[in-house]
């Protein structure tokens, strides 16, 4: 079992919809990263959080440490949000990121 | 202005060859990483260096040898390439040790195809 699990694996939405991408992780993960990989292949870090909530533009990331769960929300989705969203956990006490398998989001106009 | 750059972007080569991928970051970061993304798009860490010192060495075949001539550069040399080495290799950097607790900045990736 992977230490970081994402659901769903694929999601198709209509422009303007509110989207939630989920990530659950196992004991030993002490921080969560959300990454975005566009069809061209480049990877961009969206958030790193170890508690609470962070917001950047239309993106909101939350983490619930007790439930070992994080969510990435996209408000007013747009076709340019189409990408693979990857959740990655920091193994406590190390440099190491452990990655989820990613979720492919397609936002249709 | 590129923060983390990799060369080449594409690399096609025959089995058994030796090849290198170069990575440079101009962000002044102390820590650099190599990640491998397989055909199923699954990312996995290979190596991490902090100030030219090896910090993480995941169970990677010893045909893979990272080299950090200075803290701005982390190159990946691969000997005796095998079909299974075909993947996209990403370099990344972060501001300091405990990079797992810092935002990481990724290079554009190098798509390696072994024929």
């Amino acid at each position: 079992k992977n230490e970081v699990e994402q659901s769903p694996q694929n999601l198709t939405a209509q422009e303007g919809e509110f989207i939630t991408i989920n990530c659950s992780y196992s004991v030993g993960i002490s921080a969560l990263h959300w990454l975005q990989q566009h069809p061209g292949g480049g990877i961009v870090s969206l958030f790193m959080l170890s508690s609470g909530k962070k917001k950047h533009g239309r993106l909101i990331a939350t983490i619930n440490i007790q439930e070992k769960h994080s969510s990435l929300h996209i408000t007013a989705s747009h076709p340019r949000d189409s990408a693979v969203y990857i959740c990655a956990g920091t193994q406590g006490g190390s440099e190491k990121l452990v990655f989820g398998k990613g979720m492919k989001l397609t936002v249709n106009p | 202005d590129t923060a983390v750059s990799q060369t080449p972007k594409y690399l096609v080569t025959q089995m058994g060859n030796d090849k290198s991928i170069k990575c440079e970051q101009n962000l002044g970061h102390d820590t650099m990483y190599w990640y491998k993304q397989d055909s199923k798009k699954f990312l996995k860490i290979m190596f991490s260096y902090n100030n030219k010192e090896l910090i993480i060495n995941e169970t990677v075949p010893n045909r893979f040898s990272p080299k950090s001539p200075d803290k701005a550069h982390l190159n990946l040399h691969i000997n005796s390439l095998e079909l299974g080495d075909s993947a996209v290799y990403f370099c990344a950097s972060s501001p300091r040790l405990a990079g797992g607790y810092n935002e990481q900045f990724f290079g554009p990736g190098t798509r390696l195809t072994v024929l």
Side-chain angles (χ1 to χ4, degrees):
Chain A
K1 185 178 185 297
N2 202 26
E3 293 176 74
V4 176
E5 298 280 350
Q6 289 187 245
S7 63
Q9 290 193 346
N10 290 280
L11 180 63
T12 299
Q14 286 301 120
E15 184 173 357
E17 285 183 7
F18 179 84
I19 292 164
T20 295
I21 304 167
N22 295 305
C23 175
S24 59
Y25 56 92
S26 61
V27 171
I29 297 294
S30 54
L32 249 290
H33 297 246
W34 281 103
L35 309 171
Q36 180 191 57
Q37 186 170 26
H38 271 283
I43 298 174
V44 174
S45 175
L46 299 175
F47 297 103
M48 195 287 295
L49 64 166
S50 53
S51 64
K53 175 178 168 178
K54 287 188 177 178
K55 184 177 189 294
H56 182 70
R58 294 181 295 105
L59 301 179
I60 303 166
T62 63
I63 188 168
N64 184 319
I65 297 167
Q66 285 74 27
E67 294 185 8
K68 297 183 184 53
H69 182 268
S70 176
S71 294
L72 177 68
H73 305 285
I74 305 174
T75 61
S77 60
H78 189 276
R80 65 174 174 265
D81 297 325
S82 298
V84 175
Y85 291 84
I86 302 168
C87 172
T90 302
Q91 284 194 334
S94 84
E95 298 295 306
K96 209 169 124 178
L97 288 189
V98 179
F99 294 84
K101 292 184 178 177
M103 192 221 74
K104 184 175 179 181
L105 172 66
T106 303
V107 181
N108 292 319
Chain B
D1 282 317
T2 306
V4 182
S5 59
Q6 293 179 229
T7 52
K9 191 166 171 61
Y10 300 96
L11 185 52
V12 181
T13 189
Q14 300 284 336
M15 271 176 54
N17 284 350
D18 303 338
K19 290 292 178 186
S20 292
I21 306 171
K22 295 186 176 181
C23 178
E24 176 181 2
Q25 54 94 3
N26 63 5
L27 297 166
H29 289 169
D30 290 330
T31 309
M32 295 183 73
Y33 310 81
W34 276 110
Y35 294 98
K36 179 180 179 181
Q37 187 173 43
D38 62 25
S39 57
K40 295 183 179 177
K41 303 289 189 183
F42 191 57
L43 274 160
K44 196 166 182 189
I45 190 164
M46 299 174 69
F47 301 103
S48 167
Y49 267 74
N50 180 259
N51 261 322
K52 304 193 294 175
E53 182 185 345
L54 182 66
I55 302 295
I56 295 173
N57 184 347
E58 284 294 290
T59 50
V60 176
N62 59 13
R63 298 181 296 102
F64 289 79
S65 52
K67 284 190 171 46
S68 182
D70 56 61
K71 75 173 194 177
H73 295 85
L74 181 61
N75 303 322
L76 183 65
H77 189 77
I78 315 169
N79 288 327
S80 304
L81 278 155
E82 299 177 358
L83 293 176
D85 298 333
S86 295
V88 181
Y89 293 84
F90 286 96
C91 177
S93 71
S94 66
R96 55 186 181 272
L97 202 62
Y101 299 91
N102 293 294
E103 182 182 7
Q104 296 197 9
F105 294 77
F106 287 80
T110 296
R111 182 176 295 276
L112 171 65
T113 304
V114 183
L115 303 174

